[in-house]
Amino acid sequence: MMADGIIKVLPEDVMMFILIRLNVKSLIRLKCVSKNLYTLLQSSMFINFHLKRTTTAKDEFILLKRSFQERPNKFKSILSFLFGVNDHIDLRPASPDQDVPYLTTNNSCIFHQLLGPCRGLIVLTDSESIVLFNPTTRNYRLLKSSNFNCPLGFYHDIKGVGFGFDSVVNDYKVVRVSEVIGDPPFNDFNVREWRVGVYDLITDSWRNLDHVDQQLPNLCWYPCSEMFYKGAVHWFATKDMVLILCFDLSTEIFRNMKMPDTCDFIDGKCYGLVVLDESLTLICYPNPGSVPKQGKELTDIWIMKEYGVNESWVKKYTIRPLPIESPLVIWRDHLLFLQSKSGLLITYDLHSEEVKEFNLQGFPKSLRIAIYKESLTPIPKG
């Protein structure tokens, strides 16, 4: 075939340089052209080459998860695939919506997390069920359930889930932090024990970490948290103060990072973690469930100039009061996506202070967003 002849004539590196300029839909079609093209496009070498290609903000897409109440205690969640048409961000559908698979627990739509993307993959979870998903190819797989069983008279409360890539062993990992609690009247409610489970994609199995520090701080759930950055998963936690709990996926060791001194335990604020200017960024916003204290109505955005150095926190922006439920993500280093208290998607431009509403709405508190770029990363079979 002509395609096979071209591949044989051109050096492989030249061929790959040409192919990575095509979008993924075209690359998938090319797999059907010839056996040699299929082999090349399926190879881990080409997939990694494609993953590391130079891209711009114009190559980015928005993955929006939202839920709808179909009847009492019955919810349906969907994923919308969007792209920005121009600098004023007129969001348009990039492809048809897709139902969120497996996450069916009735009351969990507001506790869904959208973790990633990490090297082309994301994780969707309601803590109990964990789905690995490639937004580009739309391939997905439900991960195995953990084999951990609670002793009689106890129950386990999942406090946090994280997802990322361990560059040392070249493997994706999911980490789940649980607290095993005594369930009266069989046992003392004050009896608690931390358990940490790690799922290795390469072995398709869970394992429990030994010697987990039983003095871990108590993890807090926020819609915009549980972020993978610089090789570690980050959560918010409390232990006499609000802090950021980190879990390094390579060493599998926990550590703490302090928040800015103005973020104290009783400041009546909620918190979000995003990336701005390639730096770890903290968003401190008023608790939507209470009336803000006087002087606490504003939203502050802090940047950690030097990762891991507590003294390097710098306040970058202060935002006027907005009727928001929570932040979601910062896109193109100036567009802050938020969800309103009514479940409406809105943006706030950090430069112009312009607020824009979109005709994209879901059940209140159910919106989640991930910014992703097209990827051929496969979902390994179980």
Side-chain angles (χ1 to χ4, degrees):
M1 293 178 67
M2 183 179 295
D4 280 340
I6 293 172
I7 291 177
K8 291 176 181 177
V9 170
L10 290 177
E12 190 174 72
D13 57 344
V14 174
M15 194 67 194
M16 289 199 298
F17 183 76
I18 295 171
L19 291 173
I20 63 168
R21 294 173 176 269
L22 302 178
N23 59 39
V24 169
K25 182 182 288 187
S26 298
L27 291 174
I28 292 174
R29 287 174 178 169
L30 282 175
K31 288 183 180 181
C32 304
V33 171
S34 74
K35 184 177 180 181
N36 285 333
L37 266 176
Y38 179 87
T39 302
L40 175 63
L41 296 176
Q42 286 284 100
S43 68
S44 58
M45 179 174 62
F46 179 79
I47 291 172
N48 287 328
F49 191 57
H50 182 267
L51 191 66
K52 296 175 182 178
R53 71 195 187 282
T54 302
T55 57
T56 66
K58 293 182 179 180
D59 299 309
E60 294 177 335
F61 295 86
I62 296 171
L63 181 65
L64 170 66
K65 173 264 165 189
R66 49 196 169 127
S67 302
F68 302 93
Q69 187 171 20
E70 296 183 313
R71 57 180 183 270
N73 297 321
K74 178 65 176 179
F75 293 88
K76 177 183 179 180
S77 297
I78 65 169
L79 295 172
S80 297
F81 304 81
L82 310 167
F83 69 97
V85 177
N86 49 46
D87 290 338
H88 299 290
I89 308 303
D90 183 14
L91 297 181
R92 302 283 179 84
S95 54
D97 292 343
Q98 176 171 328
D99 289 350
V100 174
Y102 298 114
L103 309 186
T104 57
T105 44
N106 289 341
N107 64 347
S108 66
C109 75
I110 63 173
F111 295 106
H112 287 171
Q113 290 292 59
L114 191 57
L115 310 178
C118 177
R119 293 172 59 89
L121 300 183
I122 69 163
V123 156
L124 290 155
T125 178
D126 59 2
S127 295
E128 290 290 349
S129 298
I130 299 175
V131 179
L132 192 63
F133 181 65
N134 182 324
T136 307
T137 63
R138 301 213 182 186
N139 292 331
Y140 61 84
R141 179 159 69 88
L142 178 68
L143 299 188
K144 278 184 178 181
S145 298
S146 172
N147 56 5
F148 169 68
N149 293 313
C150 272
L152 180 65
F154 289 79
Y155 71 94
H156 91 290
D157 184 13
I158 298 171
K159 294 292 189 177
V161 180
F163 166 64
F165 187 78
D166 181 350
S167 58
V168 174
V169 297
N170 201 36
D171 186 24
Y172 294 91
K173 291 181 178 179
V174 176
V175 57
R176 190 164 69 179
V177 181
S178 306
E179 194 175 20
V180 179
I181 304 173
D183 193 7
F186 302 103
N187 281 287
D188 185 357
F189 182 76
N190 293 317
V191 176
R192 296 166 179 260
E193 180 182 350
W194 288 106
R195 294 289 182 96
V196 178
V198 176
Y199 171 86
D200 300 295
L201 190 61
I202 199 169
T203 61
D204 188 31
S205 61
W206 287 90
R207 54 188 168 82
N208 292 320
L209 296 188
D210 297 327
H211 312 299
V212 174
D213 182 7
Q214 294 304 312
Q215 302 303 312
L216 284 179
N218 190 46
L219 275 68
C220 305
W221 182 88
Y222 291 111
C224 183
S225 59
E226 302 187 331
M227 187 178 73
F228 178 70
Y229 179 76
K230 296 287 188 182
V233 177
H234 300 71
W235 301 275
F236 291 108
T238 59
K239 190 175 184 180
D240 301 326
M241 66 178 69
V242 185
L243 51 85
I244 298 173
L245 179 66
C246 310
F247 179 77
D248 189 291
L249 283 188
S250 295
T251 63
E252 298 186 347
I253 294 175
F254 286 96
R255 53 187 168 81
N256 298 333
M257 288 197 305
K258 290 183 179 180
M259 297 193 357
D261 293 338
T262 56
C263 302
D264 56 61
F265 188 69
I266 55 174
D267 66 356
K269 291 290 185 77
C270 292
Y271 304 99
L273 281 177
V274 296
V275 174
L276 174 61
D277 296 333
E278 300 184 358
S279 299
L280 184 70
T281 301
L282 173 69
I283 302 178
C284 307
Y285 60 99
N287 188 334
S290 61
V291 178
K293 298 178 182 178
Q294 188 173 2
K296 299 291 184 179
E297 307 92 345
L298 303 176
T299 295
D300 295 324
I301 298 180
W302 296 77
I303 288 183
M304 186 176 248
K305 287 288 190 179
E306 188 175 348
Y307 179 70
V309 179
N310 299 325
E311 295 75 21
S312 68
W313 285 112
V314 175
K315 187 186 291 187
K316 181 79 171 180
Y317 299 103
T318 295
I319 299 174
R320 57 187 167 86
L322 294 172
I324 67 166
E325 178 62 37
S326 73
L328 296 171
V329 74
I330 293 179
W331 190 32
R332 297 182 178 177
D333 282 339
H334 72 103
L335 282 168
L336 173 60
F337 280 86
L338 309 147
Q339 60 179 324
S340 70
K341 293 182 179 180
S342 63
L344 192 69
L345 181 66
I346 61 178
T347 56
Y348 177 89
D349 192 311
L350 296 173
H351 295 165
S352 68
E353 301 185 357
E354 177 187 2
V355 176
K356 183 172 183 177
E357 294 185 351
F358 296 91
N359 188 26
L360 294 163
Q361 190 167 17
F363 188 78
K365 304 181 184 180
S366 73
L367 274 59
R368 302 289 181 272
I369 279 185
I371 307 298
Y372 74 98
K373 297 181 180 181
E374 286 192 323
S375 164
L376 289 166
T377 305
I379 304 289
K381 296 180 180 180

